[in-house]
Amino acid sequence: METALRIQEEYNGDALIFFGFEKEDRLLPGLQAWLAGEGGWLAGNSAVTKFSGSAKSVRYFYPPAGVSGPVLILAGLGRRACFGVRELRQAVASAVGCAMDLEMVELGLNTATLQDTGLDITVAAEESVSAAMTAVYRFDRLKTEQEERKKTPTRLSLLQDKKPVDTALGSRLDEAVAVGQGLHLARDLVNMPANLATPEYLAETAREMATRHGFRADILAAEQIRELGMGAYAAVFQSNPEQARLIVLDTHPDRALDQTVEGSHAPLVLIGKGISFDTGGISLKPSQGMEEMKGDMGGAAAVLGFFEAYGRLGGGRQGQRRVVGIIPCTENTPGSLAIKPGDVVTSFSGKTVEIINTDAEGRLLLCDALAYSKQYTPMGIIDVATLTGAMVVSLGPRIAGVFAEPAALADLVRRVGERVGEPAWPMPLWADYKDELKSEVADLKNVGAREGGAIHAALFLQRFVPEKTPWVHLDIAGPAFAKKKGDHGISGGTGFGVRTLVELVKEWPEKD
Ligand code: BES
Ligand code: ZN
Ligand code: ZN
């Protein structure tokens, strides 16, 4: 979707959107002005003055025969007392949904009505664009029957009453579009079935993106991963080594050698779990609902989505923060060569791991990625993973669990998540539970008791984090994939994590 800032009078698109609050008699100023001018054909129409304005409500009006101009769409903001960014996003989604039903392609949104909401105008404009992009997202590329496809809006203009157009606002809108594109990519990757979104497909996505944005992409296959000594990761793909790809993305590879500027070479490392399909392996999952496990690369998708957004935002340029992505990918399948419960493997860190359950495979990939990141002397590490069913049991399907060391980072993630509509709640790295991971035969085992499973998984990962490195672990098993439509738009992949990563890269504390 494109976006532009334009003057209301010059707008000649298909639909024009205005908002209204519930239980307020007066019309919002933008609408008032429009009715007094071009919208004269609608002035005095009681359906406009009586518009309820209740949350998510929407009405539309076609101009009468002989009058040219856009269709007017009114969308409700709910009660002013309960109004915030989330309600604005929902109103935009309702309006855009209505425009989509009417097969409108070019939409206009009057900013004077945004101004009246009391929100900061830049935030309101940015969130409107972002919400519109979320609402237009569809995944229909695998449908061949045309009647199932509808036209979708391709352009959203924000309309101002007077000249000159605010250029600062314009660049914020471009940012919202960049992040929206990152989200679309992440959602596509999750929605694509595992026979198409293979590890090689993810690798190709990374290569292509690196070329476009001037990043470096290194892709390692099974043999190279084994040679590096990533025995825990290799255990997961040993039943199907052709399916292994380790993706390493670097926004500023030149800085790796540039030790002249203190700290400038230290990147923020983002790690994403890239299981293209999780059958559970020999510890096979039940078949009911197993198709959702095509989304077990939701962490990888979030990291790739982040890099797409960051690249579009100019993240590869001088003066921008260096970010390295480490994305271990593979399928987790059973087979005659597959790892078996009780097998012991040697991880990249040198620690030995007894694999009690082959379905706890994510932590085997991530522990090697975490240990591998040490060579970058990272200023911080964030891993994102659809790691445990236990996390979904704890917080339900919409909230991610956040584990962090130091703990203050978990609060940062919670605050950022709340702001961008990706809720994350702090979880404890409670040291007493470490005993759960004691093995009789190896340094540690990959699962503990069922109860508290998300915490055990996080404690397992913590053992592999390079010393003294700030670390965040985001378990997105719940919110990465939605069974129903909602604030994230259609059901399926939600792109959860992309916006949080964009914000964390901006706000990550500098080293003292
Ligand atoms: N990919 C799953 C976790 C998951 C569950 C993601 C539901 C999304 C929705 C993970 O690899 C897994 O299977 N974890 C096991 C761990 C257990 C064997 C200790 C689980 O949570 O059951
Ligand atoms: Zn699993
Ligand atoms: Zn998994």
Side-chain angles (χ1 to χ4, degrees), residues 88-392:
L88 172 66
R89 291 183 63 97
Q90 288 173 344
V92 172
S94 305
V96 170
C98 169
M100 283 173 85
D101 288 342
L102 303 174
E103 299 211 46
M104 312 259 116
V105 175
E106 187 168 354
L107 317 183
L109 180 65
N110 185 285
T111 55
T113 56
L114 291 179
Q115 217 119 33
D116 191 71
T117 62
L119 293 174
D120 176 86
I121 182 68
T122 354
V123 172
E126 218 173 16
E127 291 295 335
S128 297
V129 170
S130 164
M133 285 194 71
T134 295
V136 298
Y137 177 78
R138 290 290 178 272
F139 185 74
D140 52 13
R141 68 178 68 175
L142 303 177
K143 290 184 190 279
T144 62
E145 291 173 10
Q146 287 305 314
E147 66 266 23
E148 300 231 22
R149 286 193 180 207
K150 281 191 147 191
K151 273 197 226 158
T152 46
T154 54
R155 193 179 169 91
L156 176 68
S157 300
L158 289 196
L159 307 170
Q160 294 184 308
D161 288 334
K162 291 180 231 69
K163 291 180 184 176
V165 162
D166 182 348
T167 48
L169 189 57
S171 73
R172 290 289 288 268
L173 298 185
D174 292 341
E175 261 185 67
V177 172
V179 176
Q181 305 276 17
L183 270 161
H184 280 200
L185 172 67
R187 298 178 77 175
D188 278 348
L189 294 175
V190 170
N191 287 331
M192 275 171 77
N195 61 330
L196 303 177
T198 58
E200 172 51 25
Y201 183 88
L202 299 178
E204 187 49 36
T205 304
R207 277 189 208 104
E208 184 276 327
M209 171 190 309
T211 316
R212 245 178 326 111
H213 300 310
F215 301 156
R216 176 178 171 144
D218 290 298
I219 314 290
L220 280 65
E223 204 40 49
Q224 295 156 294
I225 299 166
R226 275 197 214 101
E227 271 167 22
L228 278 174
M230 294 187 165
Y233 177 12
V236 182
F237 63 71
Q238 75 183 35
S239 66
N240 197 356
E242 311 87 81
Q243 285 289 338
R245 295 289 183 279
L246 174 63
I247 303 170
V248 182
L249 279 166
D250 191 339
T251 58
H252 295 80
D254 51 319
R255 278 196 217 165
L257 306 168
D258 181 9
Q259 306 281 337
T260 50
V261 189
E262 178 73 28
S264 74
H265 58 288
L268 201 54
V269 169
L270 309 183
I271 297 174
K273 170 177 171 183
I275 292 289
S276 57
F277 195 86
D278 185 9
T279 68
I282 296 294
S283 315
L284 195 63
K285 284 183 181 296
S287 49
Q288 177 77 31
M290 208 209 270
E291 69 282 358
E292 280 183 26
M293 283 301 124
K294 70 175 181 178
D296 208 21
M297 27 59 72
V303 173
L304 288 170
F306 160 81
F307 274 95
E308 178 61 25
Y310 198 53
R312 286 173 182 264
L313 294 168
R317 286 195 219 119
Q318 283 275 301
Q320 298 292 320
R321 190 163 257 173
R322 180 179 176 208
V323 186
V324 167
I326 304 177
I327 309 172
C329 305
T330 175
E331 283 186 348
N332 182 24
T333 48
S336 58
L337 299 175
I339 33 157
K340 301 167 293 297
D343 285 359
V344 174
V345 296
T346 304
S347 69
F348 183 78
S349 71
K351 290 185 179 56
T352 53
V353 180
E354 183 186 8
I355 296 169
I356 299 294
N357 190 318
T358 67
D359 196 11
E361 83 297 340
R363 63 199 77 181
L364 299 174
L365 269 60
L366 297 178
C367 75
D368 279 352
L370 284 165
Y372 185 72
S373 71
K374 186 176 175 198
Q375 61 181 297
Y376 294 99
T377 56
M379 65 185 305
I381 305 174
I382 306 169
D383 77 68
V384 191
T386 49
L387 202 61
T388 64
M391 195 69 254
V392 194

